[in-house]
Amino acid sequence: MNRVTRLFQPTAPIPKSLQNSQLIKSQRMMLEQGVIRATSTGLYTLLPLGMRALKKLENIVDRYMEKVGAQKILLPTLTSDQLWEQSGRLEEAKAGSELFLLEDRHKKRYILGPTHEEAITELLAAGTRLSYRRLPLLLYQISNKYRDEPRPRFGLLRTREFVMKDLYSFDANAENALKTYESVTEAYNGIFQELGVKYVRVEGDSGMMGGSMSHEFHYPCEAGEERIIQCNACNVPTNASLLQIQSDSCPHCQSTDISTMAGIEVGHTFILGTRYSKPMNATFIADDKSMQSLIMGCYGLGLSRILAASLEALSLPTELRWPLCIAPYKACIITPKHGSKEEAASVLTQGLYDSIECNSFFKNDVIVDDRTNLSIGRRITEAKRSGYPLIIVIGKKAVEDIPRFEVIDLVNNREYEWTDGSLASRLKEYCPQI
Amino acid sequence: MNRVTRLFQPTAPIPKSLQNSQLIKSQRMMLEQGVIRATSTGLYTLLPLGMRALKKLENIVDRYMEKVGAQKILLPTLTSDQLWEQSGRLEEAKAGSELFLLEDRHKKRYILGPTHEEAITELLAAGTRLSYRRLPLLLYQISNKYRDEPRPRFGLLRTREFVMKDLYSFDANAENALKTYESVTEAYNGIFQELGVKYVRVEGDSGMMGGSMSHEFHYPCEAGEERIIQCNACNVPTNASLLQIQSDSCPHCQSTDISTMAGIEVGHTFILGTRYSKPMNATFIADDKSMQSLIMGCYGLGLSRILAASLEALSLPTELRWPLCIAPYKACIITPKHGSKEEAASVLTQGLYDSIECNSFFKNDVIVDDRTNLSIGRRITEAKRSGYPLIIVIGKKAVEDIPRFEVIDLVNNREYEWTDGSLASRLKEYCPQI
């Protein structure tokens, strides 16, 4: 049985190092509620609640990656700076000065990978005789990425070490690359729909990645650092950073009937073309036996950022709200207080726990707040702050002839009274159609 | 349906950089069979087959960690060198010169964590008012670790970036710490028994970790770099590095009736006592309300190393042998050759695939070698080289009135002929009792 008294959830005041910075809602609550812990500027530990959410998110992403036929790999984080020299990106990246650079004992220089276009392209270049029959090829990884941010802030939204899913695609020609682009876009739509946070997909800026096409996925959110333009004339949403000059018109149709909003970037897709495959000599054998450059795409999802951004978008000022599918636990049972009138109902705890858990949707996703020295009211408040989607209280009505439990449904913002007998069918209703 | 034509398994000759080094069996075959790819000295990419095995190993470890009540977290890889200064280990570690050091834009120095005693101790120290009631506390992570090895070699056995599971335990007193030590040891025994590779647990060297007790888990293996002493008098196995002077007697009972063998270290457990908690002020509130130093233990499993070491221990010179529970795929179906007499039996493929997969033990663990341009014989040879534990061939006997499939069981080194009708019950026999 999962118990709050066994859970490492060090609720802590905001650390000194952050007291003078501008804190956003999700950041403050993730820190206070023991979801994350700040260790150094822009560096965070994921505590058990945060780690459970990340793991669930990874599983969702893995499932969608499998759907599009992507295969999981793991590239080293240490990337030789020679590869970046070969792609022609080293000087520009160094000038941006967000690279973490280091040397080994032989003075060979490495980059702590902020992204892996070079590394993956080399993997396809080095002696791999790839036939057009094996394309499209989609390879992805979930791993730490590094960026020496000038201004780390907003908790997991802008850190120096973060968890990213990066997918790279390889196609024989531009037409097929576009098909791959569309199928990955569909997978991303699936992931974001499953998370259930309102999102927009906008034309993006290829920036220093190069390539011919790019889209960004954003959570519209006041705390967001990017500006999204929604054109009411042509309906094409755009990232405002695309505009060379800050204008107040749509970059597509020049209409001035636009609205803007703040957004948090949570995903980014690019068609890279031969930007990396050409200089790094990543080729395939075409059907006429000629060697041709692979057409590449790359697709990123900021996983640790999605955790924080979805909390930022959904939460109340004093209560976390998790997307149901990544909530660290889906249900929390609050037991009677020690010495209270309803204490006799404590014996119902195990049965209640088991009857919820036997619904596979809740399997290993129930936790009991067994801190019986605290009042029920106090624990309900804390359960709401932690954002358990379903809170089930063994309270006063649990000692009646037909015991009833108080149920607080944070997702739909409702309260119920359920009996043991009605529990199974009510829980079934509660499960989303997934 | 998983198909070999969709699998990214770049079989490649040994790279130039490694041609002059001493290659061991598992390393050579993992490279040749497209399980891993060398990217730079001591740095490897896990390709899809390797990644599938790693993921399975992680799941096994997670399961055993849950059994002992350990909670999963994720500490930053970048560890401030101030923490190592505080623990008093920085100078010694720098002298060993295996640390990867780097600076951020503000010239603040970081270590790429080779291990996380300092980071985890700080987590418990910084403002966490931990009651003795919450102990024991067990926290673990699975993440990349870094070591600037003077001589990286033997593939995944000695690398500069590797995947490790590190668990840290916190107890109120020495007696309880020993109980925790025993329960984690039991979990480790469970993991190694499940992997099914013969292992030994020996008294180990605490080295620069400090602390009062240490054991190592080894795979006895010719390619191993460590020397294990087995005493035939007192029966206590020991790591020979414990001996100050290379002697030929047991360090316990001084008997000279000893045998020695080579071993690959795959796990290490330590009781650290207050080695880190005292200098770093990681305390708990005792039952008499006093603040006392936490008694720590730490427990490592080299996950990427276990992959390679188990292959090294089990494989034949030209055929990989995976522990069944982490084999990238548990079964491979070989389809008829294009244009062959048995080609008509190709229609049986989907049905055969489904009937194997519907046994949950094989769920998503079957792959079809659909390279119908290659002969069956060639594909059987390759399937054996890749080490699929169960190889099922749709061959000549598949076009008889009652179709029969040739079955090669690499785990038990047997061959069978199964009909569709007998398949389900035969597969059931094949599943281990887990």
Side-chain angles (χ1 to χ4, degrees), chain A residues 374-400:
Chain A
L374 302 181
S375 74
I376 283 185
R378 161 96 185 265
R379 280 179 287 160
I380 289 177
T381 305
E382 289 199 9
K384 285 181 174 175
R385 289 180 66 85
S386 292
Y388 298 115
L390 199 65
I391 302 166
I392 303 182
V393 185
I394 305 179
K396 288 197 181 94
K397 289 170 180 167
V399 285
E400 292 177 358

Side-chain angles (χ1 to χ4, degrees), chain A residues 130-387:
Chain A
L130 194 67
S131 160
Y132 71 96
R133 287 193 199 87
R134 300 298 184 96
L135 303 179
L137 175 64
L138 286 80
L139 300 172
Y140 79 104
Q141 59 175 353
I142 294 177
S143 63
N144 278 353
K145 302 290 182 292
Y146 296 84
R147 197 172 293 171
D148 194 359
E149 284 281 352
R151 288 200 301 160
R153 68 203 133 144
F154 302 151
L156 298 188
L157 289 186
R158 195 166 286 279
T159 59
R160 303 199 293 173
E161 178 172 341
F162 50 98
V163 180
M164 194 167 127
K165 189 279 305 183
D166 45 338
L167 163 68
Y168 305 90
S169 68
F170 303 89
D171 271 288
N173 55 50
E175 192 186 341
N176 291 355
L178 195 61
K179 275 186 206 156
T180 299
Y181 194 79
E182 282 161 6
S183 88
V184 177
T185 298
E186 198 180 319
Y188 275 26
N189 282 327
I191 292 167
F192 286 117
Q193 278 159 24
E194 195 156 323
L195 285 168
V197 181
K198 199 191 151 203
Y199 72 97
V200 288
R201 175 171 173 263
V202 306
E203 287 199 356
D205 186 355
S206 296
M208 80 170 223
M209 299 289 282
S212 60
M213 187 191 280
S214 157
H215 287 88
E216 299 168 5
F217 290 78
H218 285 263
Y219 281 169
C221 196
E222 268 179 48
E225 298 184 273
E226 313 238 9
R227 187 163 153 258
I228 301 162
I229 293 180
Q230 178 64 53
C231 174
N232 298 320
C234 76
N235 277 322
V236 179
T238 323
N239 183 337
S241 67
L242 269 185
L243 301 172
Q244 293 291 329
I245 305 152
Q246 288 289 336
S247 81
D248 289 322
S249 62
C250 169
H252 269 270
C253 70
Q254 278 73 46
S255 162
T256 53
D257 181 14
I258 58 168
S259 47
T260 65
M261 56 185 168
I264 301 171
E265 187 190 324
V266 284
H268 208 151
T269 59
F270 301 85
I271 286 190
L272 298 172
T274 58
R275 163 70 185 83
Y276 297 90
S277 55
K278 213 161 218 165
M280 302 188 72
N281 201 26
T283 55
F284 69 98
I285 307 165
D287 53 0
D288 64 0
K289 311 278 185 212
S290 68
M291 301 296 280
Q292 298 182 12
S293 291
L294 287 157
I295 311 295
M296 288 174 58
C298 86
Y299 310 84
L301 280 182
L303 298 195
S304 43
R305 185 186 275 187
I306 287 176
L307 283 197
S310 55
L311 287 174
E312 185 65 28
L314 298 177
S315 297
L316 310 181
T318 58
E319 295 179 7
L320 285 175
R321 289 289 185 277
W322 299 88
L324 182 57
C325 60
I326 62 168
Y329 291 92
K330 291 192 185 120
C332 175
I333 297 172
I334 296 176
T335 59
K337 190 183 175 191
H338 180 67
S340 68
K341 278 182 202 162
E342 59 266 26
E343 193 176 8
S346 298
V347 296
L348 300 174
T349 309
Q350 185 72 50
L352 183 59
Y353 186 89
D354 293 342
S355 63
I356 300 174
E357 262 227 329
C358 77
N359 179 326
S360 67
F361 183 71
F362 290 95
K363 182 79 193 156
N364 198 21
D365 256 336
V366 184
I367 188 162
V368 175
D369 191 342
D370 57 342
R371 295 172 300 167
T372 53
N373 57 322
L374 302 181
S375 74
I376 283 185
R378 161 96 185 265
R379 280 179 287 160
I380 289 177
T381 305
E382 289 199 9
K384 285 181 174 175
R385 289 180 66 85
S386 292

Side-chain angles (χ1 to χ4, degrees), chain A residues 401-416:
Chain A
D401 287 349
I402 299 174
R404 282 177 296 164
F405 307 112
E406 302 157 47
V407 178
I408 303 163
D409 168 357
L410 291 190
V411 180
N412 303 301
N413 205 18
R414 288 195 187 150
E415 303 204 0
Y416 309 95

Side-chain angles (χ1 to χ4, degrees), chain B residues 303-317:
Chain B
L303 298 195
S304 43
R305 185 186 276 186
I306 287 176
L307 283 196
S310 55
L311 287 173
E312 184 65 30
L314 297 176
S315 297
L316 310 182

Side-chain angles (χ1 to χ4, degrees), chain A residues 6 8 48 52 329, chain B residues 61-73 136-141 165-169 183-184 187 299:
Chain A
R6 301 309 308 158
F8 183 60
R52 284 182 66 95
Y329 291 92
Chain B
V61 170
D62 280 341
R63 185 154 44 80
Y64 279 90
M65 289 300 99
E66 204 184 310
K67 270 192 200 175
V68 295
Q71 301 177 65
K72 199 169 187 175
I73 62 169
L137 174 65
L138 285 80
L139 299 172
Y140 79 105
Q141 59 175 354
K165 189 279 303 182
D166 45 338
L167 163 68
Y168 305 89
S169 68
S183 90
V184 177
Y299 311 84

Side-chain angles (χ1 to χ4, degrees), chain A residues 6 71 77 110 136 160-161, chain B residues 6 71 77 110 136 160-161:
Chain A
R6 301 309 308 158
Q71 301 177 65
T77 299
Y110 289 89
R160 303 199 293 173
E161 178 172 341
Chain B
R6 302 309 307 160
Q71 301 177 65
T77 299
Y110 290 88
R160 303 198 294 172
E161 179 173 340

